[in-house]
């Protein structure tokens, strides 16, 4: 896990498969770099429910310490599982979805709908 220091913030980058096979080792890696302020997810190639649970646990741990952990740069794999599970609102992080990809997901909130003919 790569950790960067930027503007006084500790930023970790998660990459590869975040699945049941790696959840325990990723948890240990995350604890080894804790505390962090942001977790970038653009390198995540695959994620399952165990990976989603790991992300939820990280959010919960930060909250219990009175801090806020932000997930950013969501990969397509992460966007897909958030869309399928409806977990987006629970995490509360802004999603940046290119206009060309918006129809790939069922996220309806936060995206301005265009009226017919526009």
């Amino acid at each position: 896990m790569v950790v960067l220091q930027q503007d006084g913030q500790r930023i970790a980058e998660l990459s590869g498969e975040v699945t049941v096979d790696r959840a325990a080792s990723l948890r240990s890696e995350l604890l080894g770099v804790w505390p962090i302020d942001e977790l970038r997810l653009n390198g995540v190639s695959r994620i399952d429910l165990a990976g989603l649970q790991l992300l939820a646990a990280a959010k919960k741990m930060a909250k219990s310490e009175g801090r806020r952990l932000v997930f950013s740069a969501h990969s397509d794999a992460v966007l897909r599982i958030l869309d399928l599970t409806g977990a987006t609102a629970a995490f509360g992080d802004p999603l940046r979805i290119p206009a060309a990809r918006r129809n790939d997901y069922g996220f309806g909130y936060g995206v301005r709908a265009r009226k017919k003919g526009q």
Side-chain angles (χ1 to χ4, degrees), residues 48-117:
D48 63 9
L49 290 177
L52 192 62
Q53 185 178 20
L54 177 69
L55 297 180
K59 281 278 194 180
K60 185 177 180 179
M61 187 164 67
K63 186 176 181 179
S64 74
E65 296 171 354
R67 297 180 314 95
R68 183 168 188 261
L69 173 61
V70 175
F71 296 147
S72 66
H74 301 75
S75 70
D76 283 338
V78 174
L79 290 172
R80 273 193 308 275
I81 198 163
L82 291 175
D83 188 25
L84 288 171
T85 61
T88 309
F91 288 147
D93 298 300
L95 299 176
R96 302 221 182 339
I97 304 170
R101 303 289 319 268
R102 288 188 184 147
N103 290 333
D104 295 347
Y105 306 103
F107 305 121
Y109 53 88
V111 177
R112 267 191 238 156
R114 292 187 182 188
K115 293 181 182 178
K116 270 189 164 178

Side-chain angles (χ1 to χ4, degrees), residues 3-37:
V3 179
L4 312 165
Q5 191 79 22
Q6 185 177 348
D7 299 326
Q9 302 285 307
R10 286 178 49 83
I11 302 168
E13 295 182 356
L14 192 58
S15 63
E17 294 189 359
V18 184
T19 60
V20 67
D21 298 330
R22 293 190 58 216
S25 64
L26 288 173
R27 181 179 185 277
S28 295
E29 281 185 55
L30 195 55
L31 289 173
V33 299
W34 198 260
I36 57 173
D37 302 295

